[in-house]
Amino acid sequence: MANEFIYAQPVKIWFGEGKFAQLSAILEELRIERAVLVCGRHFAPDAQAMMEADKRFVALFSQVEQNPQLSGIEETVRLCRAHDAQAVIGIGGGSSMDTAKFAAAVAPNEGEALDYYEGRRSFDAKSRLAILAVPTTAGTGSEVTQVSVVSHGKEKKTINNPAFMPTAAIVDPLLSIGVPPRTTMCTGLDAMAHALEGYWSKNHQPIPDLTAIQAVRLILENLEKAYRHGDDREARGNMALAALMGGLSFALPKTAASHACSYPLSEDYHLPHGEACAFTLDSLVKINADERLEYLCRAVGLSSTDELAARIRAFKEMAGLRTKLGDLGEVDMDKLCRDCAAHPLMNNNPVKLDEKALRDMFEALK
Ligand code: NAD
């Protein structure tokens, strides 16, 4: 029986090969005449060409780094204000989309990005620029969430606010053809973590449950192909769909223990986001195994939760991702377990994990 729930998915989604080429028509539909482009280095030459071809792209910030810094958001806000922009278009992985989302929420308002980051000012979903999110990796699902993950110095913060919800998502799998194999694996496992964590979150809901099951199925069937054959358009298309569905799976229920642990693993041991989530994901499949998870496994053609855990571990090993505690270098176990246990997302995990349980989990990773 379904418990009570409130479901909303406000993002208009354009999905399919070639959809990015329709950006002009999409801008017209949204009545956008001045937009700032935001991307990382890999897309900078294309973004430059877009500016030359269409005067509606009034400025470009193309210096987004992995784990995007607040300073990039400040620069994007400055460009938006200087050009009186109506929209910010984030083209790239989660780092570019999250930069665009945060900047769009600050630009038309008083104050600077730091004031909002530090909580001295509050975001207002009714006063922000339009946000167009264009993923070029297949992982974060940021194109359909109201989340922006931002770093300021060494601190990495996840801010969840309706002001960040994209106006439109343009998901064109052709944009992901050039993603290197290791990034393909990391981002694909991030999508797996979103689907599984949305599904087993204490806040799970019937509609995201369905997108979660379909996302897990698509990842199991396509991630290895996308990793080994980056130009396999069918595999890239299915992974782009899986990432989108993974985003829809956790947007409302939110993630849980694997994401809670990913923050210390990224901040202190420098694992990229997807690799950090994947580090504990197979352990958590075993810890969180219950009837519901068995149901998901059968629905995607697996015999058991143990088989799901083994498939996740095999994906990590295939790409040489870190799987063992020793792979992290010198570990401050007390701090690691304390920081993981204290993360608010830990409260969404169906099984309570205190510092002692987390220590047992990490120590078993040999
Ligand atoms: P990313 O955006 O940091 O990109 C990873 C690397 O891949 C970068 O060097 C980028 O330039 C490159 N790249 C991207 N697309 C490419 C392409 N098509 N061809 C070649 N290279 C390409 O990585 P990501 O995993 O997509 O995003 C991670 C960030 O997103 C983290 O900060 C994470 O915390 C955040 N995140 C946000 C949400 C959300 O809902 N907002 C969800 C999960 C993760």
Side-chain angles (χ1 to χ4, degrees):
M1 282 291 285
N3 294 322
E4 286 183 13
F5 62 86
I6 297 173
Y7 181 81
Q9 198 301 102
V11 185
K12 181 160 180 176
I13 300 166
W14 279 264
F15 182 93
E17 281 193 3
K19 282 286 179 272
F20 186 61
Q22 294 171 16
L23 182 57
S24 258
I26 293 169
L27 290 182
E28 248 157 61
E29 181 179 323
L30 299 174
R31 293 167 198 231
I32 292 168
E33 283 163 12
R34 293 178 307 283
V36 170
L37 298 173
V38 174
C39 66
R41 263 182 226 111
H42 95 273
F43 200 78
D46 295 286
Q48 202 62 53
M50 286 168 69
M51 301 251 305
E52 278 154 30
D54 189 334
K55 294 296 163 222
R56 283 176 299 183
F57 304 124
V58 290
L60 165 65
F61 176 67
S62 61
Q63 308 292 317
V64 177
E65 304 284 351
Q66 299 192 41
N67 295 319
Q69 286 286 328
L70 199 65
S71 53
I73 292 167
E74 283 163 352
E75 177 58 14
T76 307
V77 168
R78 197 190 63 72
L79 292 172
C80 290
R81 288 174 175 167
H83 293 271
D84 192 21
Q86 299 161 305
V88 188
I89 307 179
I91 308 169
S95 300
S96 297
M97 291 188 281
D98 288 1
T99 299
K101 287 159 79 170
F102 200 122
V106 173
N109 301 305
E110 297 287 317
E112 301 309 320
L114 185 63
D115 300 325
Y116 293 82
Y117 178 88
E118 290 185 337
R120 285 189 296 279
R121 288 184 181 274
S122 305
F123 294 105
D124 176 359
K126 294 196 181 69
S127 172
R128 46 155 258 198
L129 304 183
I131 299 166
L132 276 70
V134 185
T136 64
T137 59
T140 69
S142 175
E143 64 272 19
V144 286
T145 73
Q146 59 174 42
V147 173
S148 178
V149 187
V150 180
S151 294
H152 184 41
K154 204 172 157 284
E155 181 186 55
K156 184 174 174 183
K157 221 189 232 187
T158 295
I159 305 177
N160 194 312
N161 195 288
F164 297 152
M165 191 59 99
T167 314
I170 304 165
V171 187
D172 184 338
L174 292 178
L175 296 175
S176 67
I177 292 286
V179 180
R182 192 181 168 90
T183 307
T184 299
M185 185 58 76
C186 290
T187 50
L189 289 174
D190 188 22
M192 176 75 97
H194 293 152
L196 289 175
E197 296 231 283
Y199 184 83
W200 69 41
S201 164
K202 281 187 189 166
N203 308 307
H204 69 84
Q205 292 191 8
I207 298 168
D209 282 352
L210 289 177
T211 54
I213 292 171
Q214 182 63 0
V216 172
R217 184 203 312 276
L218 287 168
I219 295 163
L220 290 172
E221 290 170 357
N222 294 280
L223 181 52
E224 181 171 355
K225 287 184 214 157
Y227 168 73
R228 293 196 191 283
H229 310 285
D231 56 356
D232 181 332
R233 283 166 52 176
E234 193 184 343
R236 289 294 195 188
N238 284 330
M239 283 307 300
L241 185 56
L244 174 70
M245 289 192 155
L248 294 170
S249 307
F250 84 94
L252 292 169
K254 302 201 175 67
T255 52
S258 128
H259 274 76
C261 294
S262 79
Y263 287 86
L265 289 169
S266 285
E267 284 171 12
D268 295 335
Y269 302 96
H270 313 294
L271 273 61
H273 176 75
E275 185 175 6
C277 292
F279 191 75
T280 56
L281 193 60
D282 44 334
S283 306
L284 287 163
V285 166
K286 292 183 184 169
I287 290 169
N288 290 336
D290 63 2
E291 249 177 61
R292 287 187 73 248
L293 197 57
E294 292 287 349
Y295 174 83
L296 176 145
C297 289
R298 285 196 302 279
V300 301
L302 300 178
S303 60
S304 65
T305 49
D306 279 348
E307 191 183 355
L308 176 59
R311 289 290 303 274
I312 293 168
R313 174 96 182 190
F315 279 132
K316 292 194 284 186
E317 286 169 350
M318 192 183 294
L321 305 190
R322 282 155 277 198
T323 54
K324 303 188 210 67
L325 198 56
D327 296 339
L328 299 181
E330 198 163 318
V331 174
D332 180 344
M333 191 60 114
D334 289 341
K335 181 174 189 303
L336 177 61
C337 296
R338 197 168 54 241
D339 290 353
C340 292
H343 196 283
L345 288 173
M346 198 54 92
N347 296 326
N348 291 346
N349 204 62
V351 174
K352 186 173 166 41
L353 290 171
D354 58 14
E355 287 182 41
K356 157 87 176 58
L358 290 164
R359 179 180 287 269
D360 291 345
M361 178 184 79
F362 282 118
E363 282 179 348
L365 286 174
K366 296 210 173 83

